[in-house]
Amino acid sequence: MAGEPQDDCLFCKIVAGHVPATIVRETETTVAFRDINPQAPTHVLIIPRAHYRDAAALATAEPALAADLLREAQAVADEEKLDSYRVVFNTGAGAGQTVFHTHAHVLGGRGLEWPPG
């Protein structure tokens, strides 16, 4: 069921404290932690505590929670002292989503080319 923790979800396990992560920020609705395979000097993932498969599902079901992720992206960028940064939501396997729990990537600390790979 949408919003409910999933037993087979890596990010739900991080939220529950069953899988370790280098957490950089937590709020009532979100958790932010360092990516284990960083693609930039700063690469932080921000996830909702509630489980939604992807950004589209989250935005449809709980737009206020989707906004929380974007506010946290700014907070992470501020704490990491990033002058510029990129926020990425991969939606679907074809776009590179590998964990099917909504997450925003905050990338910064180097030049980011456009278009992305």
Side-chain angles (χ1 to χ4, degrees), residues 1-59:
M1 173 183 246
E4 297 296 318
Q6 305 294 305
D7 291 338
D8 61 344
C9 174
L10 173 63
F11 290 172
C12 287
K13 291 176 183 177
I14 289 172
V15 168
H18 301 305
V19 171
T22 304
I23 295 176
V24 297
R25 287 185 56 83
E26 290 187 79
T27 70
E28 185 176 310
T29 59
T30 65
V31 177
F33 54 93
R34 300 213 181 272
D35 193 295
I36 62 168
N37 184 26
Q39 301 300 304
T42 297
H43 189 167
V44 174
L45 302 179
I46 305 168
I47 64 172
R49 290 181 181 275
H51 180 92
Y52 290 92
R53 179 175 172 80
D54 55 39
L58 175 62

Side-chain angles (χ1 to χ4, degrees), residues 34-98:
R34 300 213 181 272
D35 193 295
I36 62 168
N37 184 26
Q39 301 300 304
T42 297
H43 189 167
V44 174
L45 302 179
I46 305 168
I47 64 172
R49 290 181 181 275
H51 180 92
Y52 290 92
R53 179 175 172 80
D54 55 39
L58 175 62
T60 299
E62 289 197 53
L65 183 51
D68 287 351
L69 291 182
L70 292 174
R71 272 191 294 277
E72 281 304 298
Q74 179 64 59
V76 165
D78 290 346
E79 286 186 2
E80 297 287 323
K81 298 180 178 21
L82 298 175
D83 292 331
S84 59
Y85 60 96
R86 183 173 290 162
V87 178
V88 176
F89 289 92
N90 297 324
T91 301
Q97 185 177 7
T98 58

